[in-house]
């Protein structure tokens, strides 16, 4: 059977053209969809996204180290230099013990301590001096509420009677503030502390550990075999 003349089979060239056209249309559609998606996403975000701000920590107040508070017992204190045969001892006198401090300064200014010795010495306890030849009046005790015989404080010596101190003093070689007597009285409640050693603590230690012999009256082992003398006592400030 002969094919109808009017009916035509599509040629190969025409089929390729249709294929290219279809591919082009699909490509245009895909490009359009991609562009739409990209445009939609960019429209939902700022052009220059800014990170979420973090709160700035509040500045911490810097506290500068405070100066060491002035000891109320030693406001512009008088200083005394004891030049001894064992070395120098510098004392600082309390300003809240006016009677005792003034008495000590008066004796120093008169030179009455010069040439005297530490005549009573007990290791692990104290060194005692100030036995002058001049006669002076006894002074009132100044105990107060803050009277502590700690190591290297200077204190007035006295008899067992109140208000009996004159010129003799002792320097605590250790902390004697906890001593309590059989009658209930205390060391701090008996002896007036009126100063402290600010230089020469090693000299105090050396004197307190000196060789001693027995006191002929009390038999106490406290008399230095080679007594240390106070060559000169001077107010230095």
């Amino acid at each position: 059977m002969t094919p109808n003349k009017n009916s035509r089979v599509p040629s190969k060239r025409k089929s390729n053209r249709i294929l290219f056209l279809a591919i082009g249309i699909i490509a245009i559609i895909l490009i359009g969809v991609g562009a739409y998606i990209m445009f939609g996403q960019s429209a939902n975000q700022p052009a220059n996204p800014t990170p979420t701000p973090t709160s700035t920590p509040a500045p911490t107040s810097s506290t500068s180290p405070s100066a060491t508070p002035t000891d109320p017992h030693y406001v512009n204190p008088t200083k005394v230099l004891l030049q001894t045969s064992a070395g120098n001892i510098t004392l600082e006198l309390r300003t809240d013990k006016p009677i005792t401090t003034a008495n000590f300064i008066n004796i120093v200014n008169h030179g009455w301590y010069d040439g005297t010795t530490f005549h009573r010495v007990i290791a692990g306890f104290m060194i005692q001096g100030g036995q002058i030849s001049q006669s002076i009046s006894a002074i009132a005790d100044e105990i107060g509420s803050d009277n502590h015989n700690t190591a290297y404080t200077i204190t007035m010596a006295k008899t067992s009677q109140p208000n009996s101190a004159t010129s003799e003093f002792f320097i605590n070689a250790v902390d004697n503030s906890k001593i309590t007597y059989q009658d209930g009285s205390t060391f701090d409640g008996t002896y007036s502390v009126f100063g402290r050693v600010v230089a020469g603590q090693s000299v105090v230690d050396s004197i307190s550990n000196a060789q001693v012999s027995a006191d002929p009256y009390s038999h106490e082992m406290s008399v230095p075999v080679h007594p240390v003398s106070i060559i000169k006592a001077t107010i230095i400030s």
Side-chain angles (χ1 to χ4, degrees):
M1 180 175 178
T2 305
N4 190 331
K5 287 185 180 181
N6 295 325
S7 81
R8 301 176 80 176
V9 179
S11 67
K12 186 175 180 182
R13 183 181 298 174
K14 186 176 181 179
S15 297
N16 288 341
R17 193 183 307 143
I18 294 171
L19 178 61
F20 290 152
L21 180 62
I23 292 172
I25 293 171
I26 292 171
I28 291 170
I29 292 171
L30 292 175
I31 292 171
V33 172
Y36 174 77
I37 292 172
M38 291 179 63
F39 178 77
Q41 287 180 342
S42 63
N44 292 330
Q45 294 182 358
N48 296 309
T50 305
T52 304
T54 56
S55 59
T56 304
T60 305
S61 58
S62 59
T63 54
S64 57
S66 56
T68 304
T70 302
D71 189 328
H73 306 135
Y74 297 91
V75 180
N76 297 321
T78 297
K79 290 186 178 181
V80 176
L81 175 64
L82 300 181
Q83 296 174 270
T84 81
S85 55
N88 293 345
I89 300 172
T90 303
L91 306 170
E92 197 172 64
L93 306 184
R94 287 175 65 157
T95 51
D96 64 333
K97 300 291 182 77
I99 297 173
T100 313
T101 293
N103 180 68
F104 189 82
I105 291 173
N106 179 59
I107 297 172
V108 169
N109 283 334
H110 278 88
W112 293 338
Y113 283 136
D114 300 354
T116 61
T117 65
F118 287 97
H119 61 277
R120 183 171 177 249
V121 170
I122 301 176
F125 183 35
M126 59 89 230
I127 60 175
Q128 184 171 335
Q131 201 173 56
I132 64 176
S133 57
Q134 293 78 9
S135 178
I136 63 173
S137 301
I139 60 174
D141 295 334
E142 287 183 298
I143 303 299
S145 59
D146 195 4
N147 188 77
H148 304 296
N149 282 269
T150 52
Y152 306 114
T153 52
I154 182 169
T155 306
M156 290 304 296
K158 53 184 281 189
T159 69
S160 58
Q161 299 300 311
N163 306 315
S164 59
T166 53
S167 65
E168 291 192 35
F169 62 86
F170 62 89
I171 298 174
N172 291 289
V174 296
D175 185 355
N176 293 316
S177 62
K178 304 298 187 293
I179 295 176
T180 301
Y181 298 108
Q182 291 182 346
D183 62 0
S185 61
T186 63
F187 206 76
D188 284 351
T190 304
Y191 301 102
S192 302
V193 177
F194 67 99
R196 61 188 176 187
V197 176
V198 293
Q201 290 91 341
S202 60
V203 177
V204 174
D205 295 339
S206 176
I207 297 172
S208 69
N209 289 298
Q211 183 182 358
V212 294
S213 61
D215 183 285
Y217 302 102
S218 65
H219 306 292
E220 176 187 72
M221 293 296 293
S222 61
V223 178
V225 174
H226 304 289
V228 171
S229 63
I230 297 176
I231 301 169
K232 188 170 183 61
T234 310
I235 304 295
I236 57 175
S237 69

